Amino acid sequence: MKIAAIKGFNDILPEQAAVWRHIESVFHRVLGAWGYGEIRLPLLEYTELFARSIGGETDIVEKEMYTFSDRSGRSLTLRPEGTASMVRAWVQHTLGAPAEVGKFRYVGPMFRYERPQKGRYRQFYQLGAEVFGDESFYQDAEMLIMLARFFHEVGVEGTKLHLNSLGCQACRPHYRDELQHFLADRVDRLCDDCRRRVPQNPLRALDCKQPACREVVAVAPRILDYLDAPCREHFAGVTRLLTAAGVEYEIDQFMVRGLDYYSRTTFEFLAGELGAQNAVGAGGRYDNLVAELGGRETPAIGFAVGMERLAMLVATAAGAPPTEGGVALTALGAPAIERLFPLQQELCAAGIRALLNYREKSLKSLLKKADRDGVRYVLIVGDQELEREEATLRDMSTGEQRTVLLTEVVPTMRRMIHGRQDN
Ligand code: ATP
Ligand code: MG
């Protein structure tokens, strides 16, 4: 019986992995330039960490977590997102002195028990970043400008930035009460989830996707009308800096995000080409979470971009990743294979992609394979060439052919591929 992968868990095949690698390298370069250091966090955490940070009335905690007991009976959860772990690490290592700013970036898999469909999987990858210790609106603007830059450099244009502010602990309760009253008068028109959440967490209804809820919410009180003066100023600062930097945005007062820990600025980058799962990245400020998880009061902000969704956009964008290049050593017959085997090792050691057939095949099928492998050069050695210690070198892009001595293959390839003299 064949064993298949778990539903919603994907194999990333080489062609796709090349796109991912391209995205990751641009991500690390761009965020490195903006001063974000890389962090690698564990995939498993105590369940309590997510329950406390993400919030009890969220979809993630209520129905999407992969939770199980380990052999000693402790409840563990495969991380559904990166922020909780990052905050846990920040508090645990008290990374940085009190007044210091810490900036981190990460890439890795997340796990959510959702209904698998295009752009929505049970294991998916996020490229994320978090900043601790800076409450200024400059920090919010920096992150958004940097993200816009990242999308541009990775070759994705036309994402739309949606922006909102959720206020703070001082002003949000007023809004929450108003919204709660408004929704309580209309509970019979809400979906089951929203109805249940109105008493504890009425804001959840704002981004409910059910048409009936959307209709109710469309005329609900608007959060920006309830911001206090400091929150209004903060939001105005962010939008002013974005405008000055030429980053376009749209204010979306229904965007509250699916996690409870956000405050003030929240944002999403949307891409129409993605269809129903159109959010390619999202994030926001979470000024209270560090203290709630036992750290000292520390303002913070972060985002996460979905790798699979971004890769779909990159793959459809112009300038797909370059072919792999290198050389196919095309050995016709056993003696030629034997002779080219050590040459392959020398080429690989020199950092040149070198492929060699270990089984005897016809020239025609080897050339076809070389074409599929996307090599730049083909080096052909048959019995006659072998006798003369020579090879025929063909440039696949021009069709030009020349003869090289076998002893000259490595320096010749180095020169042609790396563009430098061998010494
Ligand atoms: P959505 O509204 O699509 O469910 P979300 O608000 O749950 O997204 P976040 O928790 O903010 O998403 O995660 C940030 C990004 O991670 C999303 O914008 C999306 O690109 C990606 N993402 C989230 N869940 C999944 C998933 N199940 N499969 C693939 N990508 C995902
Ligand atoms: Mg979700």
Side-chain angles (χ1 to χ4, degrees):
M1 205 179 57
K2 275 191 227 151
I3 300 174
I6 303 167
K7 194 174 164 203
F9 287 65
N10 298 318
D11 299 311
I12 307 305
L13 304 180
E15 205 175 308
Q16 189 61 7
V19 177
W20 284 38
R21 181 171 286 275
H22 163 66
I23 291 172
E24 281 170 9
S25 78
V26 174
F27 180 76
H28 289 303
R29 177 164 53 74
V30 172
L31 273 80
W34 291 84
Y36 291 67
E38 185 180 5
I39 188 159
R40 301 190 186 210
L41 298 158
L43 303 192
L44 267 183
E45 300 273 4
Y46 290 118
T47 302
E48 193 195 349
L49 174 67
F50 302 115
R52 271 173 53 192
S53 59
I54 297 170
E57 282 90 37
T58 60
D59 277 350
I60 293 180
V61 171
E62 280 183 348
K63 35 189 168 180
E64 295 175 0
M65 294 206 304
Y66 277 93
T67 298
F68 58 92
S69 301
D70 72 4
R71 288 176 188 280
S72 63
R74 277 170 305 201
S75 181
L76 306 181
T77 294
L78 276 169
R79 63 180 188 189
E81 53 113 46
T83 303
S85 303
M86 185 61 244
V87 173
R88 196 255 321 126
W90 170 266
V91 173
Q92 185 172 334
H93 305 286
T94 29
L95 299 170
E100 244 177 64
V101 174
K103 296 184 167 189
F104 303 91
R105 65 179 202 263
Y106 60 83
V107 179
M110 307 295 160
F111 305 85
R112 295 183 195 176
Y113 194 80
E114 302 197 72
R115 194 168 70 77
Q117 56 200 286
K118 183 180 175 227
R120 192 177 294 290
Y121 313 101
R122 290 181 172 175
Q123 173 175 313
F124 61 97
Y125 281 68
Q126 284 186 338
L127 308 131
E130 317 286 345
V131 175
F132 298 96
D134 192 338
E135 74 288 337
S136 80
F137 54 74
Y138 287 98
Q139 181 54 59
D140 306 43
E142 176 218 79
M143 188 169 269
L144 292 165
I145 291 165
M146 176 181 77
L147 263 172
R149 184 82 215 158
F150 166 59
F151 288 131
H152 173 73
E153 294 213 7
V154 90
V156 171
E157 306 292 348
T159 56
K160 274 182 40 192
L161 168 58
H162 279 205
L163 203 60
N164 195 14
S165 175
L166 299 183
C168 64
Q169 284 181 325
C171 59
R172 188 156 25 150
H174 300 300
Y175 175 68
R176 190 182 163 280
D177 290 349
E178 288 291 320
L179 182 66
Q180 198 166 45
H181 283 124
F182 175 87
L183 294 174
D185 290 342
R186 296 159 179 82
V187 271
D188 45 319
R189 293 167 57 193
L190 299 176
C191 74
D192 290 347
D193 276 345
C194 288
R195 194 175 307 162
R196 191 166 43 78
R197 286 165 179 170
V198 166
Q200 284 301 316
N201 204 336
L203 270 75
R204 288 265 69 83
L206 291 182
D207 68 348
C208 181
K209 307 281 187 285
Q210 301 292 328
C213 298
R214 296 196 91 118
E215 224 172 87
V216 172
V217 154
V219 291
R222 302 293 169 102
I223 193 156
L224 294 183
D225 297 335
Y226 291 79
L227 297 187
D228 60 17
C231 287
R232 264 205 313 276
E233 245 167 66
H234 188 97
F235 195 57
V238 177
T239 54
R240 174 174 64 79
L241 293 173
L242 288 179
T243 303
V247 174
E248 288 177 24
Y249 62 88
E250 193 176 301
I251 291 175
D252 177 357
Q253 302 204 51
F254 299 128
M255 188 188 53
V256 296
R257 313 279 309 109
L259 307 94
D260 277 354
Y261 51 59
Y262 287 114
S263 53
R264 290 196 167 168
T265 315
T266 56
F267 54 86
E268 272 183 0
F269 282 85
L270 305 178
E273 303 101 289
L274 289 176
Q277 273 57 250
N278 64 348
V280 63
R285 188 164 267 292
Y286 51 95
D287 289 342
N288 311 111
L289 185 60
V290 179
E292 275 165 29
L293 291 178
R296 53 173 99 83
E297 285 291 334
T298 309
I301 182 168
F303 73 82
V305 168
M307 175 67 99
E308 290 80 359
R309 295 184 197 179
L310 182 59
M312 283 183 220
L313 296 174
V314 171
T316 55
T323 53
E324 303 252 25
V327 56
L329 307 177
T330 300
L332 304 173
I337 294 173
E338 178 75 16
R339 179 66 181 87
L340 288 180
F341 191 70
L343 266 187
Q344 180 195 24
Q345 291 163 47
E346 272 188 71
L347 288 165
C348 295
I352 293 167
R353 179 172 180 246
L355 314 171
L356 169 62
N357 56 297
Y358 302 137
R359 287 185 301 154
E360 292 183 46
K361 291 251 171 79
S362 71
L363 179 61
K364 196 173 154 206
S365 73
L366 288 171
L367 289 178
K368 255 196 206 157
K369 173 87 167 79
D371 196 43
R372 277 201 305 277
D373 285 334
V375 293
R376 171 76 194 271
Y377 300 99
V378 174
L379 188 93
I380 302 162
V381 179
D383 291 339
Q384 280 176 15
E385 284 95 346
L386 204 57
E387 222 164 81
R388 295 196 294 268
E389 271 288 302
E390 282 175 4
T392 303
L393 181 63
R394 184 185 296 179
D395 184 332
M396 298 293 270
S397 61
T398 61
E400 273 171 48
Q401 251 177 227
R402 54 189 271 207
T403 302
V404 285
L405 285 171
L406 285 177
T407 51
E408 284 298 306
V409 165
V410 177
T412 305
M413 293 315 308
R414 286 180 83 129
R415 233 179 1 256
M416 295 176 80
I417 290 177
H418 291 329
R420 61 180 147 83
Q421 295 296 317
D422 192 48
N423 47 30

